[in-house]
Amino acid sequence: MNNIVLCGFMGCGKSTVGKNIARKTGRKYVDMDRYIEQKAGMSVSEIFEKYGEQGFRDMEHEACRELSGERNIVIASGGGAMTFERNAQVFKGSDTIVLLDVPLETIKQRLSGDTTRPLLQRPDKDEVMQRLYEQRMPLYKSAADISVEGQSTPLKTAFAVMDALRLYPSPGKREQQGENKN
């Protein structure tokens, strides 16, 4: 089975939605940023600090190449991963890239108080977020095979992705109650 690669702006729900899809379909879940951290032995923030954004982007591209060789996984890509044509091309043809499309105002609400995102650790973070969102959304749309509205709850969004891909829950995973908010 092909991999499902979730893309979209930071805070759109890639990780939580990805975990729900994996759980419901019996697939393995991989968070690309955690994958990179594990390989590098340091956090994304530490990678940015030590190697700069370009060093992180090179590690991210290598992660895309490695993960595209896997099968039957749900990948939550990093917020910037699918803004680079070289990363999107790695997945094109063999995997399905799904954009979780969430309005900027919803993302701002979701990220209020979040101190874990290196690109937003600055006093002008609202302006930076606006600029990044405007730059990245056309790139996500270009990379994606399909787009799913992601403003709903993580579980409902996961089911919307599964419906769009014509995936069905594994036996014993059909319950739609008990939403996971992790």
Side-chain angles (χ1 to χ4, degrees):
M1 282 200 193
N2 293 352
N3 297 324
I4 300 166
V5 182
L6 301 176
C7 77
F9 200 71
M10 60 184 97
C12 73
K14 296 178 297 288
S15 296
T16 308
V17 170
K19 288 175 189 174
N20 278 306
I21 294 169
R23 191 174 300 119
K24 296 293 182 189
T25 61
R27 292 171 178 244
K28 178 182 170 188
Y29 168 78
V30 177
D31 181 297
M32 191 180 292
D33 285 346
R34 301 303 75 78
Y35 181 85
I36 293 166
E37 287 177 338
Q38 190 172 40
K39 287 193 65 161
M42 61 183 82
S43 71
V44 170
S45 295
E46 291 169 327
I47 294 169
F48 265 75
E49 193 175 302
K50 185 170 183 176
Y51 300 106
E53 183 175 358
Q54 186 58 50
F56 173 76
R57 296 300 175 197
D58 290 342
M59 290 179 194
E60 184 175 62
H61 180 64
E62 185 59 29
C64 290
R65 290 169 24 112
E66 291 170 3
L67 293 171
S68 72
E70 302 274 331
R71 283 294 137 238
N72 204 29
I73 60 175
V74 178
I75 302 166
S77 69
M82 293 302 116
T83 65
F84 293 91
E85 178 74 17
R86 69 182 186 162
N87 293 340
Q89 286 305 313
V90 167
F91 294 111
K92 286 287 187 183
S94 61
D95 301 309
T96 304
I97 302 173
V98 179
L99 168 60
L100 298 183
D101 194 356
V102 178
L104 180 59
E105 287 311 310
T106 301
I107 288 178
K108 284 182 179 180
Q109 290 171 359
R110 290 179 182 177
L111 294 181
S112 66
D114 186 329
T115 59
T116 64
R117 308 196 187 253
L119 294 177
L120 298 182
Q121 299 314 303
R122 30 189 313 157
D124 61 342
K125 81 175 193 174
D126 283 341
E127 292 82 18
V128 170
M129 199 180 308
Q130 176 80 37
R131 187 179 74 251
L132 283 173
Y133 186 87
E134 290 171 0
Q135 289 171 348
R136 289 180 173 186
M137 283 308 288
L139 299 170
Y140 297 142
K141 289 177 181 179
S142 174
D145 296 304
I146 66 167
S147 179
V148 173
E149 192 275 346
Q151 234 180 315
S152 190
T153 65
L155 187 63
K156 287 180 182 176
T157 302
F159 276 108
V161 171
M162 290 166 53
D163 286 345
L165 296 175
R166 300 181 195 274
L167 293 174
Y168 304 98
S170 297
K173 309 260 184 197
R174 296 187 191 280
E175 71 285 347
Q176 293 188 20
Q177 313 302 329
E179 178 176 336
N180 176 358
K181 295 191 180 198
N182 292 336

